[in-house]
Amino acid sequence: MAVKTHLRFILVICFVLIIIEIINMFTGRMLSGFGLLPRSVNSLPMIFTSPFIHGNWAHLLANLTTLVVMLLLMTTQNQRRMLGISLWIITFTGLCVWLFGRTAMHLGASGVVYGYFGFLLLAGWRSKRKRMMFISIVVAILYGSLLLGILPTGGFVSWESHLFGFISGIIAAWYWAK
């Protein structure tokens, strides 16, 4: 994939997330109903919508910043592999949160961010490619503190999404980074 195509893809993702937040804001947060509520059968399809819905602008911006960096680093994978990894992360994370998460509405792209983080940490060592190893080291240095986010915390942070996202990324790296 050419650099322009990668950047266009990332800009489209950002644009979609921002448009969804604008719609959510102007509809009195009606789209928040597309978040994931664990063990609710009606909420099962929301595994695929919850990463695109955020609680507010601060929540979106907190996720968007890191998501853009992780997406840029993920573009080292070919397009088909990157889409497969992304779908795996969204599905595995969502299912695990649905099965094991607290009974609360889980929203936001942080599970995907943590999935990419886990993938990028392990992919270099698993692939043994110098470029990927360099990316793994840079990610560990710059974003290693994200590991604290997988620990249970109080409040409205879905540490479950962080934990299962990270695990899904590690699993993805194990299988896709050879």
Side-chain angles (χ1 to χ4, degrees):
M1 208 194 262
V3 173
K4 284 173 109 175
T5 308
H6 287 303
L7 292 176
R8 196 174 308 126
F9 173 75
I10 293 168
L11 287 173
V12 166
I13 296 294
C14 292
F15 181 74
V16 166
L17 291 172
I18 290 167
I19 292 300
I20 289 170
E21 180 56 27
I22 290 169
I23 292 168
N24 204 17
M25 182 179 72
F26 282 116
T27 60
R29 300 268 157 222
M30 286 179 60
L31 296 181
S32 296
F34 290 97
L36 184 59
L37 187 61
R39 292 165 301 285
S40 165
V41 175
N42 292 337
S43 184
L44 202 51
M46 300 344 171
I47 286 170
F48 301 103
T49 59
S50 62
F52 298 95
I53 311 294
H54 289 81
N56 55 42
W57 281 102
H59 183 210
L60 172 63
L61 294 175
N63 281 330
L64 200 56
T65 312
T66 310
L67 181 64
V68 167
V69 173
M70 296 293 174
L71 279 168
L72 282 169
L73 295 172
M74 286 297 294
T75 61
T76 58
Q77 307 300 307
N78 68 47
Q79 183 180 14
R80 189 176 191 165
R81 181 178 289 168
M82 184 178 160
L83 291 173
I85 292 166
S86 299
L87 186 58
W88 162 257
I89 288 170
I90 289 169
T91 304
F92 182 85
T93 301
L95 278 173
C96 288
V97 169
W98 189 83
L99 286 169
F100 306 112
R102 287 172 290 160
T103 304
M105 191 63 74
H106 295 261
L107 306 163
S110 59
V112 177
V113 168
Y114 273 81
Y116 290 154
F117 171 63
F119 179 86
L120 292 166
L121 273 181
L122 183 59
W125 311 112
R126 185 79 174 127
S127 72
K128 296 181 177 35
R129 292 179 15 225
K130 288 180 184 172
R131 185 165 124 194
M132 285 303 297
M133 288 178 89
F134 177 74
I135 289 172
S136 290
I137 292 168
V138 168
V139 167
I141 291 169
L142 296 179
Y143 291 100
S145 63
L146 283 178
L147 288 172
L148 297 174
I150 65 174
L151 301 173
T153 58
F156 298 102
V157 175
S158 178
W159 63 269
E160 299 95 331
S161 292
H162 299 178
L163 173 64
F164 294 123
F166 182 72
I167 291 168
S168 71
I170 294 291
I171 292 169
W174 189 261
Y175 287 103
W176 274 295
K178 295 182 221 176

